[in-house]
Each structure stands twice: as C-alpha cells, then as structure tokens.
Amino acid sequence: LSKFTNPFIFINFKAYKEVEGAGALEIAKACEEVADSNGVSIIVCPPVVELSHVSKNVDIPVFAQSVSPKASGACTGWVTPSMVKVTGAMGTLISHSENKYELETVMECVDLTRSEGLKSVVCVENLSSAIEYSSFNPDFIAIEPPELIGGDISVTTANPKIVSNTVEGVKRINKDIFVLCGAGVKTGEDVREAMSLGAEGVLLASGVVKSKDPKGALLDLIKYV
Ligand code: G3P
C-alpha cells in the first residue's frame, strides 16, 4: 500500500455522475499514479457500490463515504463497518454534512469502525461539533463549513480562522487526532494554506472529480507538498 502520512489528501468522490461505474476506478487510478510518482499520500473515497472494485485495483488507501451504526446481521440496506472492512477499505468518513448523523450515532459509528480496525474521519460543520466529537477519539476530524462546499472559494481563504481554531480546539482534547479541512479546496495554494493553518490534510471533491483533467488537478493540488 502507498503511504498514508501527513499531509493527507482525501478525495471524496461523492455521487457525481463522473464516478458512476467505470469512472470511479478511472479517477482512483489517476490518484494512484500521482500519489506514487510524487510520493504523496492520496486517499480515495469512492461510492460504496464501487468500494470493493476500487480497493482491489489500486494500491492507495481507500475509504468509504459513510457507514451505518450496525453490526453484521439482519439489517437490510445498511452498510456495516464489517462489510466495509472486507472490501479492503482502510476506513470511512462519518457524518459528512451531506449525510449527517446525530451525535449518538456518530459515537456508535466511531466505536464500531474502531472495533473493525478501520480508521474514522468524522466530518463537522463548526468548532463546537469538532470539540464535542473529539472526545470520541476518531482518527481524523474534518472541518467543512457547509456553505462553502462545492463552491469556488476555499475554506482556507473564506474562513481561515475556523481551520486554525479547529486545530487548536481538537489538539487540546487529543493531540493524536489529525485535523483536515475541506470545502472549496482546489489548488496547491489552498493546500499550502491549509498546512500553514495547522491542518494535516484536506478533504475535497469537486476540484478533482468535476475537473476536465483530474490528473492535472491532482498535480496542481500537491505541487507544494
Ligand atoms: O467531502 C469533501 C467536500 O464536502 C468538499 O467538497 O467540492 O467543496 O471540494 P468540495
């Protein structure tokens, strides 16, 4: 497996048309190529129906986009941490703002993923949730102001304070939790700014997935890493 280290560049494929069917592996392959040839850590989050296929065909870390608070058993349609694990995925996002969970459910998901040996990335919309969820000790907290998601202005430009305050608040509770930031991140400058604000990585989607040239977008993103 390629490296999994700071700075972490997480690419969330979401459910964009571009990643339906063969598109998911195509973009994952572009991520693998750029990660390997530049020695950087790129993690892909394909749709759950492509998770197994992508995991088996790339050598970079693969994460699910969401997981259900369920153990294996009679729970039709739910995506258990256990089934995510056997696809070969390394972890999962939890409570993305487009798939948001109640506090109790986030806690259950973090515990279940941990018991499966999976890594967890808990997404939060503000500082108070970042602090609240840090007490669950996920591996990552990702701060993403929802109003900036999918837009053209990076969180690092629009609201740099929310990034630095989240880093400070989370580290005060548990210095081992990695902090990511996301929403509108698209360029190498945005990634550099995220690092200078203390983040240990970024979580982004449209800048790569919706790009006409995903590989070019990735190369730009990592140019200062
Ligand atoms: O999970 C990443 C995300 O919500 C940010 O999306 O398109 O602003 O990079 P985007």
Side-chain angles (χ1 to χ4, degrees):
L1 197 70
S2 295
K3 61 187 215 162
F4 185 68
T5 52
N6 178 357
F8 301 91
I9 315 279
F10 279 81
I11 312 293
N12 176 7
F13 291 8
K14 301 198 175 184
Y16 286 123
K17 198 80 190 159
E18 288 81 350
V19 301
E20 288 179 4
L25 184 58
E26 245 164 65
I27 296 186
K29 283 276 183 201
C31 292
E32 178 182 50
E33 221 180 295
V34 172
D36 285 351
S37 54
N38 296 275
V40 294
S41 195
I42 302 180
I43 302 97
V44 292
C45 313
V48 70
V49 293
E50 300 297 335
L51 205 54
S52 194
H53 183 55
V54 171
S55 293
K56 286 179 176 64
N57 288 287
V58 296
D59 209 22
I60 54 175
V62 177
F63 275 52
Q65 295 176 13
S66 183
V67 81
S68 309
K70 293 280 184 190
S72 312
C75 38
T76 303
W78 297 78
V79 176
T80 64
S82 173
M83 69 171 77
V84 167
K85 172 79 180 180
V86 300
T87 65
M90 182 192 259
T92 184
L93 307 184
I94 294 171
S95 199
H96 189 279
S97 75
E98 292 152 9
N99 199 335
K100 215 174 154 192
Y101 288 164
E102 299 291 330
L103 179 118
E104 189 84 344
T105 311
V106 173
M107 191 171 72
E108 283 176 275
C109 287
V110 171
D111 286 348
L112 275 166
T113 54
R114 184 182 297 115
S115 66
E116 290 296 338
L118 291 167
K119 307 257 181 230
S120 52
V121 180
V122 172
C123 303
V124 297
E125 299 182 349
N126 53 49
L127 177 60
S128 61
S129 303
I131 289 172
E132 210 167 11
Y133 292 162
S134 292
S135 64
F136 305 157
N137 299 311
D139 297 286
F140 295 82
I141 291 273
I143 178 82
E144 299 198 310
E147 68 280 7
L148 299 171
I149 292 179
D152 283 325
I153 303 171
S154 167
V155 60
T156 53
T157 306
N159 194 352
K161 268 266 163 248
I162 201 174
V163 180
S164 49
N165 288 344
T166 301
V167 172
E168 199 191 308
V170 169
K171 298 289 180 182
R172 213 180 303 133
I173 293 166
N174 180 348
K175 63 174 181 18
D176 295 330
I177 299 175
F178 293 111
V179 177
L180 310 174
C181 66
V185 172
K186 285 187 168 59
T187 67
E189 285 73 16
D190 299 338
V191 174
R192 184 176 58 184
E193 191 54 24
M195 303 300 120
S196 79
L197 293 166
E200 288 144 317
V202 292
L203 173 59
L204 73 142
S206 52
V208 169
V209 177
K210 302 289 287 174
S211 169
K212 284 190 171 50
D213 172 19
K215 194 175 161 197
L218 287 159
L219 285 169
D220 185 68
L221 268 176
I222 57 132
K223 69 187 173 201
Y224 300 119
V225 171

